[in-house]
């Protein structure tokens, strides 16, 4: 566009007109692309030495040289068709007749060439190495053994389930209840303010949550996150703070290869998950450069599945994470504390989080104004309100997933509190809280029976909505009692600290 300013032919000419240019005695093969582009670059360089505006000619020389570099990414046939269409200005019908192909095939070649050139332009602009061609002997594949984590069924919170499988695969096995508690997922509940969509399950600060969990269990973590600029972004409320990223292999695949080659699987957010799921967390445990696929888990396919490199690169939500080295507490006061003391402090941090989350909700809130969520104990009221509001149609599918996931969440809250390393009155209160969470889970189980997690077009009747609301009221009452017990634990520990001082 810069070259077009000042009239259609001030700094630009159709390629078909350059045969009349003075070649200064040199031979230019106007049927050969390399010869044409070399001549154009040389002519622009000579002109920059003679004329009053050398900057314009140097700019044009740079464009010609860049174009020459980019076109080498095309095959011979792609270059010939590209040259005929863009340089010789032939129509697709004329080109099809020349090559004895269909016009549709010519359009396909042109479209594919545009995509290749765009991709190659990004590579050149970023100074990346050229893509290796197949058969170079540099292709690799590596598939890790993904060890089982626990007995079926798998944890419905696939964020925690995936991390558990990754840890088990590197020989560090954790109990599901322990990971659910330390990650605080056992004490979370979030609901959309619009209707019973399932997206609230996924809307949290992914980076901060993962960093905190990894610090609790003693690992460094590296993350790769982003969003594509020209794609509809699912779960925008969770990823709106992510940077805009490019659709290039060099931005994703080296990260996967590096961790897999080190014997460590990769956490991956999968937007091509098998139904009835829409999107879930998965574990990438292998790659194959020759087949151009990655191997990963899927909650429905027990044997796992593959995704093409293109699927991974074009995922509108880019989030991958890999474990680094184990954090060693070898110096200072932390290293001298017994493991039980550290575990007790972790448990108290989790309990404080559970109380704060229940009373005040989630600190993470989307910046996008039309995305609003209610979390903590208030989420029950929001859920009940959706069911009893005649002007809102509850989302039947989302209702099923919310019920299933949050039933399990309450069950793991009960299991986690049974195992916390507290003593005396604090331990007794923890057991009472555990029992209350178990009763919460029982009430939610009845809700799951009413609205199972399946794909269906069924609409909830008014009577069914009222029955569901009643079950949620029961669950809320039980969880409210559980939170009261948790607050008494913190008060008890504060009293102990005060008496010691």
């Amino acid at each position: 566009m810069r070259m077009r300013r000042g009239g259609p032919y001030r700094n630009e000419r159709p390629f078909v007109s350059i045969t009349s240019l003075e070649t200064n005695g040199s031979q230019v093969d106007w049927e050969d692309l390399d010869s044409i582009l070399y001549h154009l670059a040389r002519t622009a360089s000579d002109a920059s030495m003679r004329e009053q505006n050398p900057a314009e000619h140097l700019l044009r020389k740079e464009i010609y040289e860049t174009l020459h570099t980019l076109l080498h990414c095309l095959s011979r046939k792609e270059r010939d068709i590209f040259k005929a269409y863009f340089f010789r200005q032939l129509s697709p019908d004329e080109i099809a007749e020349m090559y004895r192909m269909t016009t549709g095939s010519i359009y396909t070649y042109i479209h594919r060439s545009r995509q290749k050139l765009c991709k190659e332009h990004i590579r050149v602009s970023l100074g990346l190495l050229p893509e290796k061609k197949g058969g170079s002997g540099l292709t690799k594949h590596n598939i890790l053994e993904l060890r089982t984590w626990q007995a079926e069924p798998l944890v419905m919170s696939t964020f925690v389930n995936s991390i558990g499988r990754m840890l088990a695969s590197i020989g560090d096995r954790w109990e599901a209840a322990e990971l659910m508690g330390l990650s605080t997922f056992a004490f979370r509940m979030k609901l959309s303010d619009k209707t019973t969509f399932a997206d609230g399950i996924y809307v949290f600060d992914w980076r901060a949550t993962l960093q905190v969990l990894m610090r609790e269990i003693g690992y460094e973590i590296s993350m790769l996150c982003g969003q594509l600029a020209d794609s509809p972004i699912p779960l925008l409320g969770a990823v709106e703070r992510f940077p805009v990223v490019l659709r290039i292999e060099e931005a994703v695949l080296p990260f996967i290869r590096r961790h897999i080659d080190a014997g460590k699987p990769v956490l991956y957010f999968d937007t091509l998950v098998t139904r009835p799921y829409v999107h879930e967390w998965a574990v990438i445990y292998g790659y194959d450069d020759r087949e151009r696929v990655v191997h990963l888990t899927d909650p429905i396919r027990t044997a796992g599945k593959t995704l093409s490199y293109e699927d991974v690169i074009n995922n509108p939500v880019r989030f991958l994470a890999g474990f680094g080295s184990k954090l060693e507490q070898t110096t200072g006061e932390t290293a001298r504390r017994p493991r039980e003391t550290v575990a007790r402090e972790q448990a108290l941090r989790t309990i404080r989080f559970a109380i704060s989350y229940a009373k005040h909700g989630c600190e993470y809130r989307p910046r996008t104004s039309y995305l609003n969520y209610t979390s903590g104990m208030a989420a029950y009221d929001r859920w009940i309100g959706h069911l009893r509001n005649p002007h809102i149609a509850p989302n039947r599918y989302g209702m099923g997933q919310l019920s299933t996931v949050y039933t399990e969440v309450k069950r793991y809250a009960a299991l986690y509190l049974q195992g916390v390393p507290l003593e005396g009155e604090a331990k007794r209160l923890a057991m009472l809280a555990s029992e209350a969470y178990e009763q919460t889970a029982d009430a939610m189980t009845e809700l799951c029976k009413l609205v199972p997690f399946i794909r269906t077009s069924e609409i909830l009747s008014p009577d069914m909505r009222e029955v569901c609301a009643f079950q949620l009221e029961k669950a809320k009452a039980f969880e409210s009692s559980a939170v009261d017990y948790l607050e008494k634990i913190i008060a008890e520990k504060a009293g102990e600290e005060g008496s010691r001082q």
Side-chain angles (χ1 to χ4, degrees):
M1 292 305 296
R2 173 167 172 74
M3 293 173 67
R4 285 180 179 175
R5 294 171 186 163
Y9 296 115
R10 175 172 176 263
N11 289 311
E12 177 188 15
R13 299 186 188 185
F15 276 93
V16 292
S17 71
I18 60 179
T19 55
S20 62
L21 291 173
E22 177 61 45
T23 62
N24 296 323
S26 63
Q27 296 295 319
V28 180
D29 183 356
W30 299 105
E31 294 298 318
D32 181 74
L33 193 57
D34 284 337
S35 180
I36 294 171
L37 292 171
Y38 172 76
H39 168 69
L40 290 173
R42 188 173 52 101
T43 302
S45 179
D46 292 343
S48 68
M49 303 297 293
R50 299 193 305 265
E51 300 191 12
Q52 298 295 323
N53 191 4
E56 293 287 349
H57 293 282
L58 286 174
L59 174 64
R60 194 168 2 153
K61 176 178 180 288
E62 182 179 344
I63 290 173
Y64 294 149
E65 290 174 344
T66 301
L67 182 60
H68 183 271
T69 301
L70 298 182
L71 287 172
H72 281 288
C73 75
L74 302 180
S75 67
R76 180 64 188 178
K77 192 168 187 178
E78 288 170 339
R79 292 178 71 195
D80 288 344
I81 292 175
F82 186 88
K83 176 177 66 175
Y85 183 70
F86 289 100
F87 298 157
R88 297 174 60 188
Q89 305 288 298
L90 299 181
S91 69
D93 290 333
E94 292 173 312
I95 301 171
E97 186 176 352
M98 287 171 54
Y99 286 94
R100 296 181 180 179
M101 298 169 63
T102 65
T103 303
S105 297
I106 297 300
Y107 276 114
T108 299
Y109 267 90
I110 293 170
H111 174 70
R112 187 165 60 199
S113 297
R114 286 178 186 271
Q115 288 185 318
K116 281 189 175 183
L117 286 168
C118 180
K119 186 176 179 181
E120 188 67 14
H121 182 224
I122 294 171
R123 295 179 193 278
V124 172
S125 299
L126 297 180
L128 300 172
L129 293 174
E131 184 178 7
K132 301 297 183 185
K133 303 297 181 183
S136 64
L138 299 178
T139 58
K140 294 177 59 179
H141 71 279
N142 193 352
I143 300 177
L144 304 177
E145 178 188 358
L146 194 61
R147 300 174 188 170
T148 57
W149 175 35
Q150 61 172 27
E152 298 288 345
L154 298 177
V155 179
M156 282 289 294
S157 297
T158 55
F159 182 83
V160 175
N161 182 66
S162 297
I163 292 171
R165 297 192 73 176
M166 292 169 67
L167 288 166
S169 295
I170 60 174
D172 191 3
R173 190 175 299 276
W174 290 69
E175 292 296 325
E178 196 171 12
L179 280 184
M180 285 290 287
L182 292 178
S183 68
T184 68
F185 273 78
F187 302 97
R188 295 172 182 249
M189 189 165 83
K190 179 178 282 191
L191 211 76
S192 169
D193 288 356
K194 297 184 182 300
T195 182
T196 56
F197 292 135
D199 56 344
I201 296 170
Y202 307 93
V203 178
F204 57 92
D205 191 332
W206 294 359
R207 290 177 290 194
T209 301
L210 185 57
Q211 286 171 338
V212 170
L213 174 58
M214 289 298 103
R215 187 164 57 247
E216 288 287 359
I217 63 179
Y219 283 92
E220 294 178 347
I221 190 77
S222 57
M223 289 178 278
L224 187 67
C225 58
Q227 55 177 311
L228 298 188
D230 54 351
S231 298
I233 304 297
L235 301 177
L236 181 61
V239 303
E240 61 184 355
R241 293 174 173 84
F242 287 2
V244 176
V245 292
L246 302 172
R247 300 172 185 265
I248 55 175
E249 293 183 12
E250 289 84 356
V252 183
L253 296 181
F255 184 92
I256 295 173
R257 293 188 187 102
R258 182 170 70 252
H259 284 88
I260 298 296
D261 290 345
K264 298 175 180 179
V266 174
L267 180 67
Y268 175 70
F269 190 74
D270 184 10
T271 54
L272 295 175
V273 70
T274 306
R275 290 185 176 188
Y277 295 92
V278 177
H279 31 241
E280 287 293 340
W281 300 91
V283 179
I284 295 177
Y285 58 90
Y287 68 89
D288 189 324
D289 286 339
R290 186 172 297 279
E291 298 294 329
R292 293 182 57 78
V293 297
V294 296
H295 296 258
L296 70 164
T297 59
D298 187 290
I300 295 298
R301 302 179 182 180
T302 56
K305 67 177 184 182
T306 61
L307 287 181
S308 70
Y309 285 178
E310 286 69 26
D311 287 335
V312 175
I313 295 159
N314 291 313
N315 188 340
V317 175
R318 184 174 296 170
F319 191 92
L320 302 99
F323 294 158
S325 58
K326 185 83 172 176
L327 296 173
E328 296 293 341
Q329 302 291 346
T330 56
T331 60
E333 188 64 29
T334 302
R336 292 191 290 270
R337 287 182 297 170
R339 175 72 185 99
E340 187 175 347
T341 301
V342 174
R344 187 180 303 115
E345 291 174 354
Q346 288 178 325
L348 291 174
R349 282 197 294 272
T350 299
I351 290 171
R352 289 190 181 94
F353 173 90
I355 296 168
S356 176
Y357 192 96
K359 299 179 71 173
H360 307 296
C362 181
E363 294 181 356
Y364 180 85
R365 289 176 174 80
R367 295 172 179 171
T368 308
S369 59
Y370 61 85
L371 295 173
N372 297 295
Y373 300 87
T374 301
S375 51
M377 294 298 296
Y380 281 109
D381 296 326
R382 179 68 66 184
W383 199 341
I384 294 167
H386 288 334
L387 291 169
R388 288 180 171 161
N389 188 336
H391 303 294
I392 291 179
N395 182 278
R396 172 65 180 74
Y397 165 78
M399 179 94 170
Q401 187 170 8
L402 290 171
S403 304
T404 302
V405 170
Y406 289 135
T407 296
E408 182 189 73
V409 160
K410 309 308 175 186
R411 197 83 66 191
Y412 274 116
L415 289 172
Y416 174 75
L417 290 170
Q418 289 176 16
V420 292
L422 301 176
E423 298 174 347
E425 180 64 10
K427 182 65 175 181
R428 186 184 74 85
L429 292 168
M431 296 303 293
L432 290 172
S434 172
E435 184 178 352
Y437 274 116
E438 191 67 41
Q439 291 172 313
T440 306
D442 289 341
M444 295 286 286
T445 299
E446 295 302 314
L447 185 64
C448 289
K449 294 177 182 178
L450 295 168
V451 191
F453 178 36
I454 56 175
R455 283 282 187 183
T456 177
S457 58
E458 178 187 353
I459 298 175
L460 292 175
S461 67
D463 289 344
M464 180 64 76
R465 290 166 66 166
E466 182 56 36
V467 173
C468 291
F470 175 72
Q471 288 301 134
L472 284 169
E473 286 177 333
K474 287 178 60 177
K476 179 188 175 185
F478 287 128
E479 184 163 351
S480 179
S481 297
V483 174
D484 287 342
Y485 288 126
L486 296 181
E487 289 185 297
K488 290 177 181 178
I489 291 173
I490 298 303
E492 174 70 18
K493 300 304 291 184
E496 291 178 4
E497 290 291 331
S499 63
R500 281 198 294 268
Q501 292 176 358

